[in-house]
Amino acid sequence: MAKIIDGKVISAQIRKEVKHEAETLAARGIRACLAVVQVGDDPASSVYVRNKHRACAACGIKSLEFHLSGNSSQEELLSKIRALNAQEDVDGILVQLPLPKQIDTDRIMSAIDPAKDVDGFLPENLGRLVIGQEGFLPCTPAGILELLKRSRISVDGKDCLVLGRSNIVGKPVALLMLREHATVTIAHSHTANLSELMRRADIIIAAVGRADFVKSTDVKEGAVVIDVGINRMEDGSLHGDVDFADVFDRVSAITPVPGGVGPMTIAMLMKNCIRAACARRN
Ligand code: NDP
């Protein structure tokens, strides 16, 4: 029977560790601080932003909220970012995506000071990952690695297939698995022999954004499956990219959706905030 990798339990452990680190910093008079910038009133973004503030409060990290109108200009947002870059007591800056159409997202993101890039999205930090230097890791890929490590699943020497090549999940998680000595294949919508690649893999990390895409006939007996997908169904339920019930008896370990990778993302954001505070103020 498969082991269920419980992201709720593991993320709670990480948040506890973060809280302890925040208290240690506070004892030295340093309060780690995250600035969250939201532009407009996208309901999903508002939920994500609220969750981030709540997580900060629970971990003893100060959070600042900046809510700009959906009509804001690029220049207004840029000047807010520049002000936050200059603000000494702000350790991390997070711009909630997506941004309204009139704003050039790449331009805004690249204005963030890399030392405050707690999302790990900037070319400076992704480039560091590519060349094996320390930097901020993007939160979801870092969370996947923590899930594997804390479940004592070794990646070294394993055949790892990453489904998806986005800049926030697929590419960075592939680089992380490579750093951990897996033999990595990245598949995408143009991949010709996908079924064959899936059946060969010891570890499948699915980040395609298609509900129940991976079936039991696709996976090798005993494979480890990490499901990043979050797909809202018509009945309101959440499904991953993996058909959980179908593959369950075939795999050795699997993350559920919800309750697998999802809770790890915010936990790793909190961890990055503490890291930023330590690096900037030590
Ligand atoms: P993107 O839409 O940016 O990327 C999807 C990737 O899947 C693309 O590389 C695409 O290929 C590939 N793909 C799509 N269809 C197929 C197919 N039929 N066969 C093979 N590859 C395919 O998504 P994200 O990476 O942003 O997110 C992926 C999923 O993870 C989503 O469900 C998202 O909601 C979820 N997510 C969850 C997070 C969490 O905290 N748990 C955080 C971030 C995302 P191509 O490049 O060729 O188009």
Side-chain angles (χ1 to χ4, degrees):
M1 211 171 71
K3 171 192 167 74
I4 294 181
I5 301 173
D6 192 333
K8 283 193 204 152
V9 169
I10 296 175
S11 65
Q13 281 165 2
I14 292 172
R15 285 202 308 268
K16 204 169 149 192
E17 291 160 17
V18 167
K19 188 167 184 241
H20 178 71
E21 288 177 67
E23 283 163 0
T24 307
L25 277 177
R28 291 170 42 209
I30 299 167
R31 181 102 192 269
C33 173
L34 172 68
V36 182
V37 182
Q38 183 181 359
V39 186
D41 296 297
D42 174 61
S45 291
S46 300
V47 172
Y48 292 135
V49 165
R50 199 179 322 129
N51 288 343
K52 284 163 190 168
H53 287 299
R54 279 190 188 146
C56 283
C59 290
I61 294 172
K62 183 175 168 187
S63 67
L64 303 174
E65 185 172 354
F66 300 94
H67 197 161
L68 279 64
S69 127
N71 302 323
S72 301
S73 68
Q74 173 134 313
E75 207 37 57
E76 282 172 277
L77 185 51
L78 276 176
S79 72
K80 175 45 71 191
I81 304 286
R82 287 186 197 118
L84 292 172
N85 282 343
Q87 203 173 317
E88 262 315 302
D89 63 338
V90 168
D91 298 299
I93 301 171
L94 187 148
V95 177
Q96 186 62 48
L97 301 179
L99 292 169
K101 287 192 181 65
Q102 75 274 16
I103 291 173
D104 177 347
T105 301
D106 286 345
R107 181 98 199 279
I108 296 300
M109 299 307 281
S110 59
I112 296 173
D113 177 352
K116 298 188 178 187
D117 172 32
V118 285
D119 254 338
F121 286 169
L122 289 192
E124 286 82 350
N125 283 309
L126 288 172
R128 285 175 174 272
L129 175 59
V130 172
I131 61 174
Q133 287 181 0
E134 287 277 312
F136 289 112
L137 296 176
C139 301
T140 302
I144 292 168
L145 185 60
E146 284 292 324
L147 283 177
L148 290 166
K149 283 193 166 166
R150 290 178 190 236
S151 305
R152 296 197 172 76
I153 295 170
S154 169
V155 168
D156 195 328
K158 299 282 168 57
D159 189 332
C160 177
L161 176 68
V162 177
L163 294 174
R165 57 174 166 180
S166 70
N167 289 335
I168 60 166
V169 187
K171 282 181 203 157
V173 82
L175 287 164
L176 264 184
M177 292 301 119
L178 186 62
R179 193 188 76 180
E180 299 298 313
H181 311 299
T183 303
V184 181
T185 306
I186 306 176
H188 45 78
S189 67
H190 295 245
T191 300
N193 53 342
L194 189 54
S195 297
E196 193 186 309
L197 294 174
M198 285 201 267
R199 281 197 297 271
R200 204 180 67 193
D202 302 310
I203 300 172
I204 295 180
I205 300 175
V208 280
R210 289 173 185 261
D212 303 327
F213 182 78
V214 179
K215 303 284 184 190
S216 66
T217 46
D218 296 319
V219 298
K220 181 162 97 174
E221 181 97 46
V224 172
V225 176
I226 304 293
D227 190 352
V228 188
I230 302 176
N231 306 286
R232 176 79 61 187
M233 310 305 274
E234 273 180 10
D235 66 1
S237 63
L238 285 184
H239 279 222
D241 289 347
V242 179
D243 189 336
F244 185 90
D246 191 40
V247 306
F248 189 74
D249 286 332
R250 196 163 165 75
V251 300
S252 61
I254 184 166
T255 58
V257 175
V261 175
M264 295 300 290
T265 301
I266 284 195
M268 299 314 288
L269 174 67
M270 298 298 105
K271 212 168 150 82
N272 276 351
C273 289
I274 291 292
R275 242 190 99 193
C278 290
R280 292 184 60 256
R281 306 211 222 176
N282 261 341

